[in-house]
Amino acid sequence: MLRFLSRVAFCSYRHLVFGGYSGIFFSSDTLQIAGYLKPFHRALKAMESIEMDSVSLKRPISSKDLSGDSVKRQKVSDNLFSTETSLKAQDVEPTSGIQNENALDRELTLEVPGEKNEEDFEKDELLDGETEEESPESFADMMKHGLTEIDVGITKFVSTHEGFSGILKERYSDFVVNEIGKEGKILHLNDVSVPADEEDPSEDIYSVLSPDDKKRLEDLQLFKNREDNVAIEVVEDTKEKRTLIHQAVKGLFPGIETKTEEREGKKYIIAYHAAGKKALSKVRSPTDPRKHSWPKARGSYCHFVLYKENKDTMDAINVLSKFLRIKPNIFSYMGTKDKRAITVQEIAVLKITAQRLAHLNKCLMNFKLGNFTYQKNPLKLGELQGNHFTVVLRNITGTSEQVVQAMTSLRDIGFINYYGMQRFGTTAVPTYQVGRAILQSNWNEMVDLILKPRPGEKGYLVQCREEWAKTKDPEAALKKLPVKRCLEGQLLRGLAMYGLKNIVSAFGIIPRNNRLMYIHSYQSYVWNNMVSKRIEEFGLKVVPGDLVLKGDTAVQVEEGNVDNYTINDIVMPLPGFDVIYPKHKIAAAYEEILAADNLDIKNMRHRVKDYSLSGAYRKIVICPQDVSWEVVSYDDPKIPLVQTDLDKLEGKALPEYNKEGKYRALKMEFSLPPSTYATMAIREVLKMDTSIKNQTQLNTVWLR
């Protein structure tokens, strides 16, 4: 059992730390073993002590190494790929610009599968089994073919201090993210009580269940027998009594459904697991979330603060929706958060009571829900004001003077606002290459990039890719894939449904946001390269022809008003049909980089409307807000150095540090606007390459 737990934990770690399809979730059997349920907490905590996943950020990069003509844009050859496609940034950036409704006379329409096909997919997902074991050594092999910062245009620094080394995310609790809400306040989980509501059933209803009933229902909820059910006899057979039992079961045991049956002249309430293969309940839709009516005076959306540890936002929502037996799309949020971290963010869900949500705290681990309120409207992507970060860099080598120089520069000058390595699929198909193929309408190449075999890869995808390379038969390849919810599985399903001659529609079954992330990745790749070129040409001074924003409109800086702006005001465009370009030599560089990829900068519209790029503007240098730091000493590498919201809620104080400890850690806090990468701020402090390829080359602690 312990060996199996280790397998699942490493598989889960691989998805959570190094990317993978954002919507992936495990089957119910795997969920209970992977650690979502409390009975497995101790085993997983024991395994966590192994600390397989720390990354040492060493070998500071010299400014000389990255200056002048020595740094040039390096193209990544087509055979350099890794395992799975990572499509996620720390915060999902809203689609920029406004689409023109009259874009093209010959515009294509995406055909998407109907509801029947989607339901069939959901059935398949419930049947997905465990994935194959993959050793850390095989992951290291794959990383030999990963990306470095130079590959995606990240080459410059704005500071002049000497870099030093440290360990980033040695523990996931070393990286804490608190969302900054719509009103500009940092969100915290500080209240898990349920707001008083006359419409909610009284806590007294739970007395209708006997201790034996509760024990049997708990066993059922914890998947000890997914096909079993619990029969509760209705002693006093009245409609009111049956209603109370239904409410008590569903309130105390999220994920359990009930029905009334008559057996040998007696009435029974039959409780069964909603995730069971033979479950009779349907998945509720946004327009029919529960059978009972919703009070008119109550806001339709329950907003709550979600605290989660080492879980991706979509993974967390999939788990919540599975236990509540609702579709994930009735949840809304303002941004997605880093995976290997402790994160706090606001979530909204349609017509699910705070009472039901609060009961999840009793059966889920690594999650905590609280600060419940009812509101009229859902949340929207991009509504957040930013994120506040608390980051610990352990075992630093920098002197006190170096630390002060680095952090003062970060506070006063800032850092280059590069798109971070997560944007490009650091352990997978370089997502910008897939995006480029889409923009070129080279659909066969797009499919090949996603599905063909990759050097060094091992695990459950290998047989699937080999089958595809050999036969180009999507159904045969799909049979080799045990986890069909991954992006490769979704694409193969689409190809099986629509055929190889209708790849546009086949690709269209992948969620729109995930498809667009490929294209946004290509835009980000161009932007990173152009910003490096601009810094190389002009440094940090403002020059005529630069762009600044006046409201939402970009205007060019004139000779006479150069002194009115600083480098923090300058923006650069992501390529598109609705942006202007700088009026200096960088404009020609934009044309050249797109022309090298057989794209026309003057025609960024696409025959498929979804893939037409309107463009956007992004500041080239960001100054973090609320910057603070301290250096602490410690002896135990596993000692927590950050007091989390959950610690405060439970009254847990930080342990006392040994002020003369043999290790030193830099603990920093800062706030960043949306779609800005904290790893790029840390890169500026340490002067190091943040790519996983480079980190695994520098550190092998996770192989021990």
Side-chain angles (χ1 to χ4, degrees):
M1 171 60 78
L2 184 58
R3 182 174 181 271
F4 180 70
L5 282 168
S6 302
R7 293 175 59 187
V8 176
F10 180 77
C11 176
S12 177
Y13 153 76
R14 180 170 166 270
H15 282 290
L16 291 169
V17 181
F18 298 107
Y21 170 55
S22 60
I24 192 168
F25 67 89
F26 300 111
S27 70
S28 299
D29 288 329
T30 309
L31 282 174
Q32 66 167 344
I33 297 171
Y36 290 101
L37 299 176
K38 288 186 176 178
F40 299 92
H41 191 195
R42 293 178 182 173
L44 289 175
K45 283 295 182 183
M47 287 191 299
E48 183 185 5
S49 66
I50 299 172
E51 296 297 340
M52 295 170 60
D53 41 8
S54 61
V55 286
S56 179
L57 306 179
K58 302 178 181 177
R59 193 185 299 166
I61 300 176
S62 166
S63 300
K64 296 179 182 180
D65 294 338
L66 294 175
S67 60
D69 296 331
S70 61
V71 175
K72 297 183 180 179
R73 181 164 68 95
Q74 297 187 2
K75 293 187 176 181
V76 181
S77 60
D78 288 341
N79 64 338
L80 297 182
F81 307 118
S82 354
T83 322
E84 294 173 342
T85 306
S86 176
L87 297 174
K88 299 196 70 179
Q90 185 169 349
D91 284 297
V92 175
E93 185 173 6
T95 304
S96 53
I98 301 174
Q99 299 284 1
N100 189 329
E101 296 298 331
N102 301 314
L104 284 172
D105 293 332
R106 298 177 59 201
E107 186 178 272
L108 298 179
T109 301
L110 285 178
E111 182 182 358
V112 295
E115 185 69 20
K116 180 178 179 181
N117 290 324
E118 291 180 0
E119 290 176 356
D120 290 341
F121 292 169
E122 286 191 8
K123 292 177 183 177
D124 288 341
E125 287 153 11
L126 289 174
L127 298 176
D128 284 346
E130 69 171 279
T131 57
E132 288 185 22
E133 181 175 7
E134 182 172 20
S135 67
E137 289 81 359
S138 67
F139 181 79
D141 290 340
M142 289 185 290
M143 286 318 306
K144 295 176 183 177
H145 306 279
L147 296 173
T148 64
E149 288 185 348
I150 293 177
D151 296 326
V152 295
I154 302 173
T155 61
K156 302 295 179 183
F157 296 99
V158 297
S159 56
T160 57
H161 70 272
E162 183 181 352
F164 53 91
S165 68
I167 302 176
L168 173 63
K169 297 188 182 182
E170 183 173 27
R171 300 170 61 86
Y172 64 76
S173 56
D174 288 345
F175 199 90
V176 180
V177 186
N178 289 77
E179 195 168 69
I180 302 175
K182 292 183 285 186
E183 294 77 23
K185 295 182 180 180
I186 299 174
L187 296 178
H188 289 281
L189 177 75
N190 50 30
D191 183 5
V192 294
S193 64
V194 176
D197 192 322
E198 294 180 357
E199 301 291 342
D200 283 336
S202 167
E203 292 290 327
D204 295 339
I205 69 168
Y206 302 130
S207 62
V208 302
L209 298 176
S210 70
D212 181 62
D213 291 336
K214 292 178 181 178
K215 177 64 170 65
R216 291 189 296 148
L217 288 166
E218 182 180 355
D219 289 346
L220 179 65
Q221 184 188 42
L222 298 184
F223 302 98
K224 293 191 176 179
N225 190 336
R226 291 178 61 202
E227 299 303 327
D228 203 358
N229 61 69
V230 172
I232 302 171
E233 183 180 354
V234 184
V235 179
E236 300 173 10
D237 183 19
T238 64
K239 183 177 181 181
E240 291 75 15
K241 183 64 176 292
R242 294 197 301 270
T243 300
L244 285 176
I245 297 176
H246 284 296
Q247 290 178 339
V249 172
K250 293 177 181 179
L252 275 178
F253 303 97
I256 300 297
E257 292 292 339
T258 57
K259 62 180 178 177
T260 302
E261 279 188 4
E262 185 170 336
R263 298 178 179 179
E264 299 178 353
K266 295 180 180 180
K267 289 289 182 65
Y268 289 85
I269 303 299
I270 307 300
Y272 54 93
H273 208 293
K277 299 173 188 176
K278 298 179 182 178
L280 302 180
S281 65
K282 70 173 182 177
V283 176
R284 301 295 170 188
S285 68
T287 57
D288 178 27
R290 302 303 309 168
K291 291 180 180 179
H292 62 260
S293 60
W294 189 262
K296 293 182 179 179
R298 179 196 286 169
S300 295
Y301 294 88
C302 184
H303 288 235
F304 61 95
V305 171
L306 174 65
Y307 169 100
K308 56 186 177 61
E309 299 181 357
N310 208 20
K311 299 289 184 292
D312 172 79
T313 298
M314 280 308 302
D315 288 338
I317 285 177
N318 279 327
V319 173
L320 298 180
S321 63
K322 198 175 188 69
F323 274 86
L324 294 168
R325 196 54 183 171
I326 56 179
K327 284 190 175 181
N329 64 356
I330 74 172
F331 287 90
S332 58
Y333 47 89
M334 295 183 287
T336 58
K337 301 300 175 222
D338 203 306
K339 298 173 181 178
R340 183 161 173 76
I342 292 175
T343 67
V344 179
Q345 68 181 117
E346 187 175 355
I347 304 287
V349 61
L350 176 64
K351 294 185 178 179
I352 299 296
T353 66
Q355 194 175 45
R356 284 182 59 79
L357 292 168
H359 278 297
L360 293 174
N361 288 332
K362 300 178 180 180
C363 59
L364 297 178
M365 64 164 290
N366 292 338
F367 296 92
K368 206 70 169 181
L369 289 66
N371 297 83
F372 302 102
T373 60
Y374 292 107
Q375 299 184 32
K376 294 181 179 180
N377 299 311
L379 297 170
K380 296 180 181 178
L381 280 174
E383 285 186 325
L384 75 169
Q385 294 296 306
N387 293 288
H388 183 78
F389 297 89
T390 304
V391 179
V392 174
L393 301 174
R394 293 185 183 247
N395 199 19
I396 60 170
T397 61
T399 65
S400 297
E401 183 180 0
Q402 284 178 296
V403 170
V404 170
Q405 288 177 345
M407 294 305 299
T408 301
S409 175
L410 180 68
R411 181 191 64 196
D412 298 341
I413 301 175
F415 62 97
I416 301 176
N417 193 21
Y418 286 123
Y419 287 97
M421 296 303 296
Q422 312 90 298
R423 189 77 161 183
F424 305 101
T426 50
T427 66
V429 170
T431 51
Y432 73 85
Q433 291 190 2
V434 180
R436 178 175 60 199
I438 294 170
L439 294 174
Q440 294 170 339
S441 296
N442 192 339
W443 306 111
N444 288 324
E445 180 181 356
M446 179 203 73
V447 171
D448 192 45
L449 285 170
I450 296 174
L451 295 180
K452 74 178 184 180
R454 302 166 194 180
E457 183 178 66
K458 293 180 174 63
Y460 65 87
L461 280 170
V462 173
Q463 291 183 346
C464 170
R465 297 191 192 283
E466 290 176 348
E467 183 67 30
W468 171 257
K470 181 173 62 175
T471 66
K472 291 295 189 289
D473 182 343
E475 293 185 355
L478 200 57
K479 290 178 181 178
K480 303 284 187 178
L481 191 61
V483 180
K484 297 176 175 58
R485 179 93 187 225
C486 63
L487 187 139
E488 290 86 353
Q490 289 186 314
L491 178 57
L492 287 168
R493 282 173 170 159
L495 293 171
M497 290 168 60
Y498 295 105
L500 297 178
K501 294 184 178 179
N502 192 0
I503 294 176
V504 174
S505 294
F507 188 54
I509 79 165
I510 296 172
R512 182 176 182 271
N513 282 347
N514 288 4
R515 286 182 279 118
L516 294 183
M517 286 295 277
Y518 282 123
I519 299 175
H520 294 162
S521 176
Y522 179 77
Q523 286 180 299
S524 305
Y525 167 78
V526 172
W527 193 90
N528 279 0
N529 278 281
M530 292 300 95
V531 167
S532 292
K533 183 73 173 175
R534 196 268 175 220
I535 297 293
E536 181 178 328
E537 290 289 340
F538 304 117
L540 299 182
K541 65 181 180 180
V542 179
V543 298
D546 275 335
L547 300 179
V548 294
L549 288 178
K550 297 292 185 180
D552 294 330
T553 304
V555 297
Q556 294 173 348
V557 175
E558 304 294 339
E559 186 78 42
N561 63 359
V562 166
D563 294 336
N564 295 341
Y565 304 104
T566 69
I567 192 65
N568 300 104
D569 300 311
I570 305 304
V571 298
M572 294 270 282
L574 283 83
F577 60 77
D578 198 26
V579 295
I580 62 173
Y581 294 88
K583 200 174 182 179
H584 46 55
K585 61 174 64 177
I586 301 303
Y590 269 97
E591 292 190 28
E592 291 171 6
I593 193 172
L594 289 171
D597 290 332
N598 296 316
L599 296 172
D600 183 359
I601 198 171
K602 297 181 176 63
N603 182 19
M604 298 304 292
R605 299 185 187 274
H606 198 279
R607 290 181 62 196
V608 180
K609 182 178 178 180
D610 272 355
Y611 309 142
S612 290
L613 296 181
S614 59
Y617 300 98
R618 181 176 175 90
K619 287 190 174 183
I620 66 176
V621 173
I622 291 291
C623 257
Q625 301 297 308
D626 310 315
V627 178
S628 64
W629 68 90
E630 65 173 323
V631 176
V632 297
S633 298
Y634 63 100
D635 281 321
D636 184 357
K638 299 180 179 62
I639 193 171
L641 300 178
V642 176
Q643 189 180 28
T644 66
D645 284 0
L646 188 59
D647 291 335
K648 296 174 184 176
L649 198 63
E650 297 177 347
K652 293 181 181 178
L654 282 177
E656 292 187 5
Y657 313 132
N658 181 359
K659 295 183 179 180
E660 304 299 326
K662 59 182 177 180
Y663 302 116
R664 295 162 65 243
L666 171 59
K667 179 179 175 181
M668 64 176 82
E669 293 193 43
F670 51 87
S671 298
L672 295 176
S675 301
T676 305
Y677 291 78
T679 50
M680 293 296 99
I682 296 166
R683 169 186 183 269
E684 190 71 43
V685 171
L686 295 182
K687 294 287 185 75
M688 54 80 188
D689 185 330
T690 60
S691 69
I692 296 176
K693 176 179 181 178
N694 184 64
Q695 294 169 18
T696 52
Q697 289 172 345
L698 299 179
N699 179 32
T700 57
V701 66
W702 56 280
L703 287 176
R704 298 185 202 136

